[in-house]
Amino acid sequence: TMEAAADQALKIEAKNAEALCLKAEARRENGDLLNAIALLTQATMNDPNLESAYLLRAGTLVLMGQLQNAEEDIDYLLEHFEIKEDYLLRKAEIRHMRGDLEQAIAYFIKVKEANPFNREAYLGLSQAYSENHQLDKALETDNEAIDLIQDFAAGYKERGRIKMLLNDKEGALKDLKRALALDPHEGRELEGLFSNLDQYNAENKE
């Protein structure tokens, strides 16, 4: 197992930061978040330049709801190392979770500029725009995503959601059906959206 491999490496070198990260990842997968944080903190102390330890610790802190501490790890990465797509995305997601929509939008755009094919960036950006009452911008984002990534089931679903908010019932239904055709696993998640659309249609026929 992952943890057994990490323990074997730690027997050879007790301060092996990468092995500590591996063990932390195993603990996290088992739901032992506190021990994962302790191991990752030890890893950063043993090797302050091990970027993966900060990123993994930030993700674990997010799972624990400790968004401020998570953001401090991401800010440290952005300030001290080469800026990477993953760091920008995590920064955007945390800003979004903390309710700072303007900053979330700015960082999601940076991710999109770094990698025009980053699906999470498009979804996050569309959702942040819609929460910020910028539905036209959200729709533009979804259109751009689908033009670039034509098999993007979640992108079609998100565009369907935005079109429903814009009262484009036919467009919404078309996109939601396309999402379902691309990924049948979306079916359960789409049930609520179809129900809302059916209710909307019924109300507007009366």
Side-chain angles (χ1 to χ4, degrees):
T1 65
M2 189 188 304
E3 188 162 1
D7 285 336
Q8 189 64 34
L10 289 168
K11 283 180 182 178
I12 298 169
E13 184 186 349
K15 291 188 175 184
N16 185 323
E18 291 186 1
L20 288 166
C21 273
L22 192 64
K23 184 166 184 172
E25 194 171 351
R27 290 290 176 90
R28 191 174 92 157
E29 287 182 4
N30 289 328
D32 188 359
L33 302 183
L34 285 174
N35 265 321
I37 291 294
L39 289 163
L40 291 165
T41 299
Q42 188 178 345
T44 61
M45 292 171 66
N46 292 349
D47 183 357
N49 293 316
L50 185 60
E51 297 174 52
S52 59
Y54 297 97
L55 186 63
L56 187 58
R57 186 168 66 179
T60 307
L61 288 165
V62 167
L63 293 175
M64 297 172 71
Q66 296 184 22
L67 299 181
Q68 181 175 338
N69 291 333
E71 190 164 14
E72 287 172 3
D73 271 345
I74 297 302
D75 286 341
Y76 184 84
L77 287 169
L78 289 171
E79 290 167 13
H80 292 88
F81 301 98
E82 180 184 350
I83 293 175
K84 294 181 180 175
E85 180 184 335
D86 286 348
Y87 306 163
L88 293 170
L89 180 61
R90 182 59 76 181
K91 176 73 174 181
E93 291 170 341
I94 293 172
R95 283 285 91 205
H96 194 186
M97 285 185 275
R98 298 188 74 180
D100 184 352
L101 295 176
E102 294 292 343
Q103 279 292 300
I105 287 166
Y107 276 99
F108 279 127
I109 289 172
K110 287 182 180 180
V111 179
K112 189 165 65 73
E113 290 171 348
N115 177 8
F117 295 92
N118 189 304
R119 300 180 181 216
E120 292 173 272
Y122 285 109
L123 291 177
L125 183 57
S126 176
Q127 289 160 12
Y129 273 137
S130 68
E131 289 171 31
N132 207 36
H133 310 291
Q134 295 174 275
L135 294 179
D136 289 345
K137 287 280 193 181
L139 185 60
E140 286 176 18
T141 299
D142 297 332
N143 288 339
E144 182 184 349
I146 289 166
D147 284 345
L148 280 171
I149 314 166
Q150 295 178 3
D151 64 345
F152 191 8
Y156 278 101
K157 184 175 76 170
E158 174 63 12
R159 190 170 72 174
R161 184 182 75 84
I162 297 300
K163 285 182 177 179
M164 285 200 337
L165 293 172
L166 288 167
N167 296 325
D168 177 4
K169 303 183 294 295
E170 290 183 10
L173 187 59
K174 184 177 178 182
D175 276 344
L176 295 174
K177 286 183 175 177
R178 179 63 177 153
L180 187 57
L182 285 168
D183 185 359
H185 292 97
E186 295 280 6
R188 186 172 296 175
E189 292 183 35
L190 288 174
E191 283 176 4
L193 288 173
F194 279 122
S195 298
N196 290 340
L197 191 58
D198 289 341
Q199 183 180 353
Y200 185 94
N201 288 335
E203 288 173 354
N204 283 272
K205 281 180 181 177
E206 293 175 0

